[in-house]
Amino acid sequence: MLKYLLLSLLISTAFAQKLSLDERRTKIISIVDEELAEVSRLAKQQSYKDPNILLRMSELNLEKARLWREVENEKYLAIPAEKRRDLNKADYFRKSSKYFNDANQTAYAVVKRFPKYKGIGEVYYILAYNNKELGNQKEAQKYFKLASRRSTGPNSKMNAKSRLALADYYFNDHKYAQAIPLYEYAIKQLDEKWWTKDAFNLAWSYYRTRKYDKAINLLLEVHKKSSSSKYVDMSNMVERDIGIFYVDAGRLNDAIEFYKRNGINYTEQFVKIANLIVSQGRFSQAEALLNEAAKVEKDRERRIAIYLAQLDLFDKYNKIGQHLKVSRAMVKLHSESPLNSDDMKRLIYHVDKKAAELQKATASQTYANVPKVKARKSKQAIAYFELAQKLSPGEKAEKIFFQAETAYAATDFGKALRYYVKSFDAAFANNEKKLITQNLEGMLASLAQPGLNRANAEKYYEPVYTRYLSVDSKSDRAKSIYVKLFNTRFDKGEIAEAEDTMEKFAAKFPNDYETQEGMLAKIMEHYRKKKDYGKVKTYVADINKGKYKVSKKYADALRSLMTKIQIEGVQQSLEKGDKDIAMKGYHQIYKDPESTPKAKVNAAYNLSALYYEMGDTNQSYQWGVVAARDMEAVDVSKFADSFLSISAGLFLRQQFSQSADLSYRVFAKLCKQNSNNKVVAFKNAVFISLANNELDKALEIRNFARQCQLPNSVMSEVGLELLKDIGKASRWQTYEEDLRALEADPKNRPNLIRPMEELRKEFLKVGNTEEAKQLEAKQTRFYNEARKAKQDVPVEALDLIAEKLMVKVRNLKTQVGEITLRFPENEFNNAVKAKLRILDQLTSEVNQIQKTGSGKGIVEGYRLAIDAYETFGEELRAFTPEGKSPEYVASFQKAMADVYNPILANARKQRSEVKKLIMDNKILSASNYAVLYGRLESFKRYVSSKNIVLMDRGGQR
């Protein structure tokens, strides 16, 4: 209220200040008032019957209005803009508006009383001008048209001015084709100061209607006349715009010639034009201009300006290839002679921005399924970071690190390692500790990737591990790196280097007996194979001297070595392809009471694999069970791939129980292990049990899995699959419990909409309508939540939601059919209106169904709508009033055609729309046939159920 009172006081104060006129305006007003008084007196004496006097009165009031409007406008614009926004503008223009209205009223009187007055064109012009000033633009246009038509003589100046005013209206409304003839006429008749401005507008109208040559020729004339003081100088605007005209006319050489002729640097002009038309979204023309400028420009500074404009353009339209090419050209210029500060900042901005964008795109999921695009973006990002190094030498290590990160994101781990090593060396030289750490992490992560080419991995193991140990040689991670370096050197046959690594490890971690002994075992095994027993004795001596400390576990390592010796002959037979001999050997090892536990486990595992290869599924399964039972969990994890392959083979041979059991046993051993195969074993065990109709077994496996720290998504996936079989088994209590457990995770809810329907139907069967209603409410809520959270909703759930919405559509269709058309006319008309109203509601409901995205729902909804419209339209077409004369009936049916034709046309339109939806979205629905073909169309429809075989999960009929 206080704000309102203050605003009112401000307005009152403003109007309390009397408007004052300057000396010039005061004299003019005085003269106008004298003449107005005399003219008013004469008009009164003649009872206002002389249209000439009335016209003069209108002209004088118009002059006063113009003068006062100037004063009021100055006062209004003097008010600060922030205060003006809260004011009523009309309050500040009351006086001029009064005189405009007085002029209007007098002019209206002339128009009304003297329609054939010879000066009526001037009257209409005054009315048009006044309405324009008062903001009544539609009225103004109307009177300008009248003024044009009624002005005396075809070459009347008033006629030309009226047409010019109309042309401006059409021009401002972008109706260029309508503006052209008006401008053409006006500029021929009016050779005045503003001719150049009006011709300029006409040229733009030509341009907008693609009459490029006319537009160019007229602009050239405007440019020529602008040099005369007789006309408004439009030369700057012509020089600014004519290049655009030439470009769109395909006359680039003429544009160059124009600018050269007028002493204008056309490359600079092309840059200006390009910057202008880019804002209009005209990329290709702007690119062509800049490319043309870049071809010929030799001046370094102007060339830089062109390059920067191209960078802005290619950045805006994401033309990465061109952007990179120009960036390289600018970096080359900079290498020849440094850019100035501002240009350098812009170039760095572009290079860093594009590098960051491309790196982000490479790392995103957007291109996960398009590896070629991902690789290209990675390559481009790396190229930009290469340029960034040259622009910012002090950040070289960081830029190379970004190259490595980009290659890593593109899963090109070999390239990533190359850049990580390079960045590490640069950072190490400058003691950049953070980058040193980041590069080490990147190197190790790259080496750990399964997608890394083996040759690349082997190439970088040693460089990475040695660099890591040069920074950190005492941490827990360093301990593992020593082990990896040892294994790398040992595997490469660099035994002396491996021994050196082992010696350093023992010095750094003297109490880690187990690792030392593992290394010793490998080295001793190497020399054992070479039968270099002297070297073996040397190591035994070193152990006795305390150089390598051993624990009780070393005895296990020796036993492991003995085990290898024990099975060495069997393995040699296997390598030679003598499988029968190898099998006998493994059986002997397993039965031999002197065999070590590891040898027995190894034998059992190999027997399982051999029997699998030979097709004996029972023996393969039995020995697989023995091996999985007796193996340590760590070893099961190591051989999980093989166990799962055997399990898969059992499944393919339809040994479902054995396959599921072996997968279950492997999973049980992997339960507490961090193994990638844990999920596979779990899902195989459950799904194969289900395929074998062993629901209780599948539930047992699922319940056991709850202690194995599996991802929620995996447990949910299995839970959803179990629901199907639980429902088929009619174990509804378990079904309900599992359903409620799954819905606790919001991510599962879209997938539960359909399963809930099965439970809801069961509740209805037993008469529990309350629970059924609650489930239906949940279905709707889960659907709405999923839509809001932009979660994927299964198609069957969408179809279900659509079907629920379809109930209302069917009810509305029934209501339409229940309304009977009959006379008398009032009753007939009311029935038609009622049907139309219900059809609108039906259409609205169908639109709601369409929003669900259910293909079946969309087609069925359209089918119902089309049928309803066609039925009603045909009903109207066929209706004949009873007891009426033939003339009445004919008239009635003719009138009805205007009603049923749009209704039937709407049905045809809907049929066309749904056909496009079906084709575009590849919708398969039982209702397709009904909506694709009209009632009068006759197409054969073939439906067959012969030769169809339904199979369950296990591939059984």
Side-chain angles (χ1 to χ4, degrees), residues 69 101 106 149 154 175 257 290 307 369-370 432 574 652 844:
R69 179 57 59 95
N101 282 321
T106 307
R149 288 201 294 267
K175 297 177 180 178
E257 180 59 32
L290 292 175
Y307 284 155
N369 297 321
V370 276
E432 297 177 65
L574 188 61
L652 292 174
S844 178

Side-chain angles (χ1 to χ4, degrees), residues 212-213 216 243-255:
Y212 299 127
D213 290 339
I216 291 168
I244 300 173
F245 289 20
Y246 276 126
V247 169
D248 284 348
R251 296 168 56 184
L252 204 59
N253 289 333
D254 290 341

Side-chain angles (χ1 to χ4, degrees), residues 4-37:
Y4 174 80
L5 290 172
L6 288 172
L7 182 59
S8 300
L9 180 61
L10 175 63
I11 294 171
S12 300
T13 304
F15 279 95
Q17 296 174 353
K18 185 177 180 181
L19 291 173
S20 60
L21 298 169
D22 57 30
E23 185 177 350
R24 180 185 66 84
R25 290 186 183 121
T26 302
K27 287 180 180 179
I28 295 172
I29 288 286
S30 175
I31 295 168
V32 171
D33 283 341
E34 286 178 13
E35 186 177 352
L36 184 58

Side-chain angles (χ1 to χ4, degrees), residues 175-200:
K175 297 177 180 178
Y176 304 109
Q178 291 168 263
I180 286 172
L182 297 171
Y183 274 132
E184 287 176 338
Y185 178 85
I187 66 172
K188 283 180 183 178
Q189 304 303 324
L190 300 172
D191 188 15
E192 298 177 343
K193 179 179 181 179
W194 290 99
W195 185 95
T196 47
K197 173 261 181 190
D198 298 326
F200 183 80

Side-chain angles (χ1 to χ4, degrees), residues 591-602:
K591 292 176 183 177
D592 189 347
E594 297 299 322
S595 295
T596 63
K598 269 205 168 185
K600 288 191 173 188
V601 168
N602 182 280

Side-chain angles (χ1 to χ4, degrees), residues 192-222:
E192 298 177 343
K193 179 179 181 179
W194 290 99
W195 185 95
T196 47
K197 173 261 181 190
D198 298 326
F200 183 80
N201 285 356
L202 175 55
W204 265 102
S205 299
Y206 285 145
Y207 170 77
R208 293 298 188 191
T209 54
R210 298 183 180 276
K211 298 174 182 176
Y212 299 127
D213 290 339
K214 273 191 169 185
I216 291 168
N217 291 336
L218 189 53
L219 276 191
L220 290 172
E221 187 176 355
V222 171

Side-chain angles (χ1 to χ4, degrees), residues 95 101 198 225 281 404 410 441 451 548 603 630 706 804 877 912:
K95 197 158 190 173
N101 282 321
D198 298 326
K225 287 190 175 182
E441 295 295 333
Y548 300 105
D630 294 340
R706 286 172 176 155
K804 290 180 184 296
R877 191 204 300 267
S912 175

Side-chain angles (χ1 to χ4, degrees), residues 184 292 392 437 469 530 578 600 605 710 719 803 851 949:
E184 287 176 338
E292 184 65 27
S392 306
T437 302
L469 294 174
K530 291 183 68 176
D578 298 331
K600 288 191 173 188
Y605 168 77
L710 289 167
E803 183 58 33
K851 290 178 182 177
V949 176

